[in-house]
């Protein structure tokens, strides 16, 4: 994310607060320009413009400064779309880091309850809802307000101020070569050291670039756990409190140098980008899966429609065939009736003709003519029978066509069943892929929890080492004070018990106690003691 994108988020909060009538416009009289631009001052100004309107008189468990820090953390973790919201994964990341910074233990059940509440809000929160959530103390039960404020500040320094590591160490001076305890703050581009951890008085910076190096040194001058930082201009000798702190600082500084060589951002910036890329990939995979399901559903619907059309066509063909069969049967019945009637009439005619032949031989010609007519009718009857035969052949052809259509329907049904089986296999493969992705996610979560547990153990060991170091320093300071007191008493006693000896014939030394109050040896000893006390006072400053 560029500086421009981060500043636009702060500006969006300020303009949203000033846009009272929600018209998308803000008058020039409500805006003020600053000549000397500072990112923290800029964020503070935008916060001042918007927090009163949105927080109002809400009673929270945190101070206004802590709310401002949460506001800055929200701008860092929220999505790059407007209106600005923070998704569930980033809320869990922030709350986990806050719980770790307070020294508490993460309670998964509380966050699961919060997830259920967020499901009705599209699984995201705006900045004021996040501030209210932290300020309500829901995830800091059992912690007092200073502990919560310290945790918020630690997360703010890491995510917003890019503080990668900080702590007390001894630094060797370049001019007087004395060792002085300083509070060191490591950032991606430099190391700053201060008089104390309140950062009130800054003593200097150690610039870092790709050409810098850090190496371990042997113990010398009574100092242990030494290491050397070589920059492009100077080298700095540093003494850590123990070997563990020494190794942690060497690794942290080497990591910064490697990042500068590779032109890569700070670890938390890179981790945020990786989380966003993972969410985008998961969203794309989900959309692709939904698209594939829609395509399969569309194809299934198309196949169903095609089968329905085929079924309707078959039903229409069967109805047409039944109608044709009915017509054919009706025509055949009519022909049979007609033929029967003709036969009966022919019999009657023949009987009449036989009677007439017997009776009237003169009507032979008429009879022959009638026979000719009957023969013609017989030919017509044969033609009718031929037409009936052809109709039966047509009926057989229709039946064969109907059988072929039924076979095609069976083949289509078999093909549909194959398509359905392929759909079932595709759905099973999709379910298997989902289960595999879920297993990978659970494995990553377990690995993350193990890493978090190791970090908590390391933090506890660091606290124990710091307490031991403070105890040793207290004992050393008491021993030093006792030694100074005894040396002073011994010096006073030696001055009081000096033996009276014959005076020297040489020139006498004149002191504040009179002539010849001290010898040359005693005077040199007094000068050395005075010079040592002066050096110790300078080192203490």
């Amino acid at each position: 994310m560029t500086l421009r994108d981060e500043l636009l988020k702060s500006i969006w909060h300020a303009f949203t607060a000033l846009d009272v009538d929600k018209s998308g416009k803000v008058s020039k009289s409500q805006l003020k320009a600053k000549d000397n631009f500072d990112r923290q001052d800029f964020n503070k100004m935008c916060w001042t413009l918007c927090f009163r309107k949105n927080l109002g008189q809400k009673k929270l468990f945190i101070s206004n400064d802590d709310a401002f820090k949460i506001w800055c953390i929200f701008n860092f973790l929220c999505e790059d779309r407007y209106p600005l919201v923070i998704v569930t994964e980033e809320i869990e990341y922030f709350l986990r880091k806050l719980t770790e910074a307070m020294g508490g233990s993460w309670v998964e059940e509380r966050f699961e309850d919060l997830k259920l509440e967020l499901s009705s809000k599209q699984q995201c929160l705006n900045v004021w809802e996040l501030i209210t959530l932290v300020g309500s103390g829901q995830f800091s039960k059992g912690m007092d307000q200073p502990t919560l404020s310290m945790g918020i500040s630690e997360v703010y320094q890491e995510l917003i101020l890019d503080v990668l590591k900080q702590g007390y160490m001894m630094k060797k001076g370049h001019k007087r070569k004395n060792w002085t305890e300083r509070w060191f703050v490591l950032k991606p581009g430099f190391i700053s050291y201060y008089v104390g951890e309140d950062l009130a008085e800054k003593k200097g910076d150690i610039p870092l670039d790709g050409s810098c190096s850090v190496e371990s040194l042997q113990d010398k001058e009574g100092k242990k756990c030494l290491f050397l930082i070589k920059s492009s201009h100077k080298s700095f000798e540093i003494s850590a409190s123990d070997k563990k702190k020494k190794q942690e600082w060497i690794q942290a500084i080497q990591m910064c140098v490697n990042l500068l060589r590779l032109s890569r951002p700070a670890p938390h910036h890179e981790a945020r980008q990786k989380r966003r890329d993972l969410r985008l990939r998961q969203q794309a995979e989900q959309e692709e899966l939904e698209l594939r399901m829609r395509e399969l559903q569309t194809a299934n619907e198309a196949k169903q429609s095609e089968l329905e059309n085929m079924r309707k066509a078959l039903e229409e063909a069967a109805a047409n065939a039944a109608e044709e069969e009915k017509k054919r049967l009706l025509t055949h019945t009519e022909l049979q009736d007609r033929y029967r009637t003709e036969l009966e009439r022919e019999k009657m005619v023949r009987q009449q003709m036989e009677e007439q032949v017997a009776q009237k031989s003169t009507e032979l010609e008429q009879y022959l003519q009638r026979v000719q007519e009957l023969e013609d009718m017989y030919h017509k009857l044969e033609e009718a029978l031929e037409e009936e035969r052809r109709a039966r052949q047509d009926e057989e052809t229709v039946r064969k066509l109907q059988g072929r259509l039924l076979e095609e329907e069976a083949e289509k049904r078999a093909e549909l069943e194959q398509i359905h089986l392929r759909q079932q296999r595709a759905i099973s493969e999709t379910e298997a892929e989902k289960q595999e992705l879920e297993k990978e996610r659970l494995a990553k979560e377990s690995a993350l929890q193990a890493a978090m547990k190791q970090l908590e153990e390391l933090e506890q060991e660091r606290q124990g080492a710091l307490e031991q170091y403070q105890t040793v320093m207290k004992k050393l300071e008491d021993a030093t004070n006792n030694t100074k007191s005894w040396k002073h008493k011994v010096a006073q006693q030696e001055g009081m018990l000096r033996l009276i000896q014959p005076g020297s014939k040489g020139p006498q030394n004149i002191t504040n106690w009179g002539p010849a109050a001290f010898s040359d040896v005693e005077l040199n000893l007094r000068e050395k003691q005075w010079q040592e006390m002066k050096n110790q006072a300078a080192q203490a400053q």
Side-chain angles (χ1 to χ4, degrees):
M1 183 189 299
T2 61
L3 178 61
R4 176 179 176 273
D5 295 332
E6 294 182 2
L7 296 180
L8 281 177
K9 293 181 178 180
S10 301
I11 295 172
W12 180 82
H13 286 297
F15 270 66
T16 304
L18 295 176
D19 186 12
V20 180
D21 54 358
K22 297 183 178 180
S23 62
K25 298 180 180 179
V26 178
S27 61
K28 293 182 179 179
S29 60
Q30 293 178 279
L31 304 176
K32 294 182 180 179
K34 295 183 68 175
D35 295 333
N36 298 325
F37 176 78
D38 181 75
R39 179 178 171 185
Q40 298 300 321
D41 294 340
F42 180 80
N43 288 334
K44 200 73 175 178
M45 179 186 67
C46 295
W47 163 257
T48 304
L49 292 174
C50 63
F51 86 95
R52 293 185 183 275
K53 175 184 176 182
N54 294 281
L55 289 182
Q57 302 298 325
K58 290 184 180 179
K59 295 183 179 180
L60 301 177
F61 193 59
I62 57 177
S63 63
N64 184 42
D65 185 59
D66 292 336
F68 165 70
K69 293 176 181 178
I70 297 175
W71 181 79
C72 294
I73 295 171
F74 172 88
N75 291 338
F76 175 75
L77 296 177
C78 68
E79 300 298 300
D80 293 335
R81 61 175 184 269
Y82 296 90
L84 297 175
V85 292
I86 182 171
V87 297
T88 307
E89 291 82 357
E90 299 297 335
I91 296 174
E92 182 178 4
Y93 172 77
F94 167 61
L95 293 178
R96 280 183 181 273
K97 292 196 74 68
L98 180 60
T99 305
E100 177 187 352
M102 292 188 298
S105 58
W106 176 253
V107 181
E108 190 68 30
E109 289 77 9
R110 295 180 186 172
F111 189 73
E112 290 298 331
D113 296 339
L114 178 63
K115 277 186 177 180
L116 294 177
E117 295 178 5
L118 293 179
S119 61
S120 59
K121 299 181 180 179
Q122 298 180 355
Q123 297 185 350
C124 59
L125 293 176
N126 60 31
V127 62
W128 313 114
E129 292 172 340
L130 180 63
I131 293 174
T132 304
L133 175 65
V134 178
S136 64
Q138 180 178 352
F139 285 86
S140 59
K141 291 182 179 180
M143 302 289 181
D144 53 4
Q145 185 175 2
T147 304
L148 178 58
S149 178
M150 180 190 68
I152 294 173
S153 299
E154 185 172 337
V155 178
Y156 173 79
Q157 289 179 356
E158 179 181 353
L159 299 182
I160 307 302
L161 301 182
D162 295 336
V163 176
L164 302 179
K165 190 171 181 58
Q166 54 185 348
Y168 279 107
M169 291 190 296
M170 301 293 291
K171 172 185 170 297
K172 185 176 182 180
H174 286 87
K175 295 182 179 179
R176 292 187 293 180
K177 306 298 181 181
N178 57 336
W179 291 88
T180 309
E181 187 178 42
R182 300 297 184 206
W183 177 262
F184 287 81
V185 177
L186 173 62
K187 293 187 177 182
F190 55 90
I191 304 175
S192 300
Y193 51 95
Y194 302 82
V195 174
E197 58 183 302
D198 55 357
L199 309 182
E201 183 180 354
K202 185 176 182 180
K203 301 301 290 184
D205 291 322
I206 302 176
L208 299 177
D209 53 27
S211 62
C212 293
S213 63
V214 56
E215 59 185 28
S216 178
L217 296 178
Q218 298 293 331
D219 298 344
K220 62 179 181 179
E221 300 178 4
K223 297 296 179 182
K224 297 182 179 181
C225 304
L226 298 175
F227 61 94
L228 179 67
I229 303 175
K230 293 182 180 181
S231 65
S232 56
H233 301 290
K234 294 181 180 179
S235 296
F236 299 85
E237 292 186 20
I238 308 295
S239 173
S241 58
D242 53 38
K243 294 182 179 180
K244 180 181 177 183
K245 291 293 179 62
K246 169 187 173 181
Q247 191 63 27
E248 289 177 356
W249 274 98
I250 290 176
Q251 291 177 354
I253 296 171
Q254 190 62 49
M255 180 190 67
C256 288
V257 173
N258 294 334
L259 292 176
L260 292 171
R261 288 174 182 170
L262 300 175
S263 300
R264 290 172 57 185
H268 54 275
H269 287 274
E270 190 172 4
R272 177 190 62 179
Q273 189 61 39
K274 287 182 179 179
R275 292 195 302 273
R276 290 186 176 178
D277 294 340
L278 179 60
R279 285 199 299 274
L280 291 176
R281 285 197 303 271
Q282 291 177 348
Q283 183 178 0
E285 290 175 357
Q286 184 67 23
E287 291 177 354
E288 183 180 357
L289 181 59
E290 292 177 357
L291 179 60
R292 289 174 59 189
M293 293 299 293
R294 285 196 297 269
E295 290 177 352
L296 290 175
Q297 185 176 2
T298 303
N300 190 15
E301 291 176 354
K303 289 293 182 182
Q304 292 288 345
S305 177
E306 184 179 353
L307 289 174
E308 184 67 21
N309 293 332
M310 291 177 64
R311 186 183 63 80
K312 289 181 179 180
L314 289 174
E315 289 178 354
E316 291 178 358
N320 293 332
E323 186 69 24
E324 291 293 332
E325 180 69 15
K326 185 177 179 181
K327 290 181 179 180
R328 187 190 65 77
L329 292 175
L330 182 60
T331 304
H332 182 67
T333 305
E334 291 178 352
L335 290 174
Q336 285 180 349
D337 294 340
R338 186 184 300 175
Y339 178 69
R340 191 180 298 111
T341 304
E342 292 292 334
L343 286 176
E344 291 176 355
R345 187 167 51 182
E346 182 182 357
K347 288 178 180 180
M348 292 174 64
V349 170
R350 281 181 179 179
Q351 289 177 0
Q352 290 176 1
M353 287 179 68
E354 287 176 355
E355 291 175 357
Q356 289 177 2
V357 166
Q359 295 176 3
K360 297 178 180 179
S361 57
T362 57
E363 295 178 358
L364 180 59
E365 294 181 359
Q366 289 182 347
Y367 177 76
L368 293 175
Q369 186 179 358
R370 186 64 179 170
V371 171
Q372 185 65 36
E373 290 178 356
L374 289 173
E375 289 179 355
D376 294 338
M377 189 176 294
Y378 181 77
H379 289 307
K380 290 180 180 179
L381 182 59
E382 286 182 349
E383 292 176 358
L385 292 174
E386 183 66 24
E387 288 180 358
E388 181 182 359
R389 186 181 61 79
R390 285 198 298 268
R392 288 182 179 178
Q393 290 179 354
D394 293 339
E395 178 185 0
E396 187 67 24
T397 304
V398 170
R399 286 181 179 178
K400 290 182 179 179
L401 176 61
Q402 186 176 4
R404 189 170 63 252
L405 291 175
L406 291 175
E407 291 178 356
E408 291 179 356
E409 180 182 2
E411 291 176 356
K412 290 294 183 179
R413 286 183 179 176
E415 183 179 356
L416 178 60
E417 290 178 356
Q418 292 295 328
I419 293 173
H420 181 69
L421 290 175
R422 287 198 294 272
Q423 290 179 350
Q424 292 295 330
R425 286 197 295 272
I427 292 173
S428 300
E429 291 175 356
T430 305
E431 291 295 331
E433 290 176 357
K434 283 186 177 179
Q435 293 177 359
E436 186 175 354
L437 290 174
E438 183 66 19
K439 289 180 180 178
E440 291 179 359
R441 183 183 68 79
L442 292 176
K444 290 182 180 179
E445 287 182 355
S446 61
L448 178 61
Q449 291 177 358
M452 295 295 293
K453 185 175 180 181
Q454 292 179 0
L455 286 175
E456 291 177 358
E457 292 176 355
L458 291 175
E459 180 64 21
Q460 292 176 359
E461 293 177 1
R462 185 184 71 81
Q463 292 292 338
L466 181 61
E467 292 175 358
Q468 293 178 1
Y469 170 74
Q470 291 177 353
T471 303
V472 171
M473 290 301 295
K474 181 66 177 177
K475 290 181 179 180
L476 181 61
E477 184 179 355
D478 294 338
T480 303
N481 292 334
N482 292 333
T483 303
K484 290 180 181 179
S485 175
W486 281 107
K487 284 183 179 181
H488 182 68
K489 289 180 181 180
V490 170
Q492 287 182 351
Q493 293 296 329
E494 288 178 354
M496 295 173 61
L497 298 176
R498 182 177 58 85
L499 298 176
I500 300 175
Q501 297 177 356
S504 176
K505 295 183 180 182
Q508 295 181 347
N509 294 322
I510 305 299
T511 66
N512 293 335
W513 289 273
F518 294 103
S519 65
D520 292 337
V521 175
E522 293 175 340
L523 184 59
N524 291 333
L525 179 60
R526 291 277 182 171
E527 287 180 355
K528 288 181 180 179
Q529 292 176 353
W530 176 80
Q531 188 65 33
E532 290 178 355
M533 293 175 63
K534 184 177 179 182
N535 292 336
Q536 291 177 359
Q539 291 179 359
Q541 293 179 356

